[in-house]
C-alpha cells in the first residue's frame, strides 16, 4: 500500500489570497489547476510561481533539442526514484525520439548500450553531475564544443530544477496517479 500523500492538492475554495493569485497565474500559463509538483508547492505560492517559470523556461525554451532534454530529465527522475516525474517525461522522451531501449536501461539504473553521439554526451554529462556534482574539464569542454556556454549553464540548471521538483514530490509523497514503469531503489 502506498504511503499517504502528505501535501495533497489544496481545494481552490481553501486558497489563501496568495495561493489564489498563484493558481490564477498557473492557470493562465498552463490552462489547468496546479498539479504534480506544483500542488505541494502551493504551500509557498511565490516559490511555486518562480519554480514553475524556471521549469517552463528550461522545458520549452532550452538550447537542447527535445530528445536530449527529456533524456536528461528521465535520468534525474531515475536518480530520485521519482515515479510521477518519470511517468510524464519518459512518455515525452519517447515522443521526442528517445528509444524504448534507452529508457528501459535508464529505468533499470543501467547505462544504455546503443546511444547516438549526442545522447551519449548528454547521458554521460548528466550522470557525472548526478554522481560527482560537477563536471571534469573534459566533460565541460565537450559540452561547450557541442552546446556552447549556454548549454554549460542550462544543462546543470535543468538537472537542478528537476532535482528540486523530484525532492518536493518525494517529500510530499505525491502519487503518480497510477503511472508505472520505474522501480523504486531499495530503501
Amino acid at each position: 500500500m502506498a504511503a499517504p500523500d502528505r501535501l495533497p492538492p489544496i481545494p481552490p475554495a481553501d486558497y489563501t489570497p496568495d495561493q489564489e493569485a498563484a493558481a490564477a497565474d498557473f492557470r493562465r500559463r498552463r490552462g489547468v489547476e496546479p498539479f504534480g509538483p506544483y500542488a505541494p508547492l502551493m504551500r509557498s505560492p511565490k516559490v511555486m510561481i518562480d519554480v514553475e517559470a524556471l521549469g517552463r523556461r528550461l522545458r520549452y525554451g532550452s538550447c537542447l533539442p527535445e530528445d536530449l532534454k527529456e533524456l536528461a530529465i528521465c535520468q534525474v527522475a531515475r536518480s530520485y526514484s521519482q515515479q510521477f516525474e518519470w511517468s510524464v517525461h519518459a512518455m515525452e522522451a519517447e515522443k521526442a525520439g528517445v528509444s524504448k531501449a534507452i529508457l528501459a536501461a535508464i529505468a533499470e539504473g543501467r547505462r544504455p548500450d546503443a546511444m547516438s553521439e549526442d545522447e551519449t554526451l548528454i547521458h554521460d554529462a548528466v550522470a557525472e553531475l548526478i554522481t560527482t556534482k560537477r563536471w571534469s574539464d573534459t566533460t565541460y569542454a565537450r559540452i561547450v564544443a557541442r552546446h556552447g556556454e549556454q548549454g554549460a549553464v542550462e544543462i546543470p540548471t535543468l538537472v537542478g530544477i528537476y532535482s528540486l521538483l523530484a525532492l518536493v514530490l518525494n517529500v510530499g509523497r505525491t502519487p503518480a496517479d497510477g503511472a508505472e514503469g520505474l522501480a523504486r531503489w531499495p530503501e
Side-chain angles (χ1 to χ4, degrees):
M1 173 170 241
D5 189 348
R6 289 178 174 153
L7 299 168
I10 299 167
D14 294 341
Y15 285 161
T16 67
D18 283 348
Q19 288 169 334
E20 177 50 47
D25 191 39
F26 190 93
R27 283 190 301 270
R28 208 173 15 263
R29 293 192 235 200
R30 298 274 188 120
V32 295
E33 287 296 318
F35 64 94
Y38 306 108
L41 281 168
M42 281 292 289
R43 274 62 180 192
S44 183
K46 291 177 182 172
V47 169
M48 188 275 287
I49 288 299
D50 291 345
V51 168
E52 191 277 335
L54 179 58
R56 187 171 25 82
R57 162 66 183 92
L58 289 167
R59 188 163 178 208
Y60 301 111
S62 173
C63 67
L64 292 178
E66 288 300 307
D67 60 334
L68 300 181
K69 185 174 42 192
E70 293 297 337
L71 174 67
I73 295 168
C74 287
Q75 286 178 258
V76 172
R78 168 68 279 172
S79 75
Y80 287 94
S81 296
Q82 194 6 262
Q83 186 68 56
F84 181 92
E85 203 168 63
W86 175 267
S87 66
V88 170
H89 292 285
M91 181 178 59
E92 292 299 317
E94 196 172 334
K95 279 191 221 174
V98 178
S99 76
K100 287 182 181 187
I102 289 172
L103 292 170
I106 292 169
E108 294 167 7
R110 295 184 295 107
R111 185 179 188 278
D113 296 324
M115 294 185 283
S116 70
E117 188 176 326
D118 282 339
E119 288 170 333
T120 299
L121 175 60
I122 292 300
H123 177 278
D124 292 352
V126 169
E128 189 174 332
L129 276 174
I130 290 169
T131 303
T132 70
K133 315 302 183 246
R134 60 186 47 83
W135 280 333
S136 66
D137 289 342
T138 301
T139 300
Y140 177 81
R142 290 180 66 216
I143 289 292
V144 170
R146 181 68 179 102
H147 299 287
E149 288 182 338
Q150 182 177 353
V153 169
E154 286 188 13
I155 295 165
T157 305
L158 182 72
V159 169
I161 191 74
Y162 280 92
S163 294
L164 179 153
L165 294 172
L167 288 168
V168 167
L169 288 162
N170 284 348
V171 166
R173 294 182 181 157
T174 304
D177 297 327
E180 297 177 7
L182 187 63
R184 294 200 57 82
W185 292 120
E187 294 188 22

